[in-house]
Amino acid sequence: MSKGVTFMGWDDVPHLSAEAKADLLQSYSPHERDARTKGIPQLGSGAIYPVPESEIVCKPFDIPAYWPRGYGMDVGWNKTAAIWGAHDRDADVVYLYSEHYRGNAEPSIHAEAIRARGEWAHGVIDPASRSRGQRDGEQLLASYIELGLHLATADNGRESGLLEVWQRLSTGRLRVFDNLQNWLMEYRLYRRDDKGAVVKERDHLMDATRYLVVSGIANFTLDPQYLTRLGHKVGGVISDYNPISDEAFAA
């Protein structure tokens, strides 16, 4: 008995319209595209975010006070990392503007550095922090909350999160300040191996960015000093603030 293998792409499926193909293409990760559109088997190696730095990097600028901010955090003894983002809600663009990147330090050291960027900011953290200790078995999430950080656990769905970050990068809705050298170093190295698995090396800020994009944006907050100027009660997430209202311009 003989066997044969036939490769088929979506050009061989006449019921798919050009519009349907465009929509489907946006839902596929870069390493899936040839396999899903052309029927070409792929091992999936290579850059996870194949978007040129020139398309995502920008010069630092003064972030408007009415842009809410927050951070994503990845923890570990060898390296603890946090990345801060500010959301231009008019254009739906998130700008990564500050980073924390340090290893071999106690939670109190990391917490102090994070609070220095704004004690009011809310962050999302690796959900494994609920049960993982850096050195002596303490629950890191509880430790960081006791140290004054406003934290919630992030959704850790890796592939769905990678797709969401890539969609923002590829559509210009995730930008990064060019002085975030640790973030850029990890971005250049972030890749899949020849079996399609994410290479888990020097990816702490990449993980923190995924947490921020997937779970953090909805919890971004405004600087309480700015809210006080507008007469808002301080302490909650302001999700219905209109930056082009008469009230905002008066401030």
Side-chain angles (χ1 to χ4, degrees), residues 59-75:
K59 293 292 183 183
F61 57 85
D62 291 333
I63 297 172
Y66 58 81
W67 288 9
R69 312 182 196 190
Y71 61 93
M73 186 176 180
D74 185 62
V75 295

Side-chain angles (χ1 to χ4, degrees), residues 107-147:
S108 58
I109 302 299
H110 300 302
E112 182 177 359
I114 290 170
R115 291 198 309 269
R117 270 85 165 183
E119 294 190 16
W120 48 271
H122 288 221
V124 288
I125 191 171
D126 179 358
S129 64
R130 288 177 295 189
S131 58
R132 185 172 71 200
Q134 286 177 295
R135 301 184 72 184
D136 56 4
E138 81 278 16
Q139 290 187 339
L140 288 177
L141 177 59
S143 296
Y144 280 116
I145 291 174
E146 290 174 0
L147 289 166

Side-chain angles (χ1 to χ4, degrees), residues 167-232:
Q167 287 176 331
R168 277 195 168 272
L169 288 168
S170 62
T171 57
R173 294 180 298 121
L174 182 62
R175 307 292 301 278
V176 57
F177 283 8
D178 66 7
N179 59 347
L180 303 187
Q181 293 304 305
N182 292 302
W183 192 96
L184 290 170
M185 177 271 293
E186 288 197 0
Y187 183 80
R188 293 162 188 155
L189 297 174
Y190 202 38
R191 65 197 188 279
R192 296 180 186 272
D193 62 22
D194 58 6
K195 295 182 180 179
V198 176
V199 176
K200 294 299 295 176
E201 297 174 0
R202 298 185 180 181
D203 62 348
H204 308 283
L205 283 167
M206 295 297 98
D207 282 348
T209 299
R210 175 162 53 87
Y211 302 148
L212 181 146
V213 168
V214 173
S215 302
I217 298 173
N219 292 316
F220 279 8
T221 54
L222 293 170
D223 186 335
Q225 294 184 0
Y226 179 65
L227 293 176
T228 299
R229 288 173 54 199
L230 293 180
H232 286 288

Side-chain angles (χ1 to χ4, degrees), residues 93-114:
V93 177
V94 174
Y95 290 86
L96 305 182
Y97 66 89
S98 186
E99 63 181 19
H100 170 70
Y101 201 69
R102 179 170 177 175
N104 304 319
E106 301 293 340
S108 58
I109 302 299
H110 300 302
E112 182 177 359
I114 290 170

Side-chain angles (χ1 to χ4, degrees), residues 34-99:
D34 278 350
R36 291 185 176 272
T37 64
K38 301 176 184 178
I40 301 173
Q42 296 288 307
L43 290 175
S45 62
I48 291 177
Y49 302 134
V51 180
E53 288 181 30
S54 59
E55 296 183 9
I56 64 173
V57 170
C58 64
K59 293 292 183 183
F61 57 85
D62 291 333
I63 297 172
Y66 58 81
W67 288 9
R69 312 182 196 190
Y71 61 93
M73 186 176 180
D74 185 62
V75 295
W77 177 248
N78 291 327
K79 194 72 67 179
T80 288
I83 189 74
W84 279 259
H87 191 196
D88 174 2
R89 288 180 290 184
D90 293 334
D92 188 25
V93 177
V94 174
Y95 290 86
L96 305 182
Y97 66 89
S98 186
E99 63 181 19

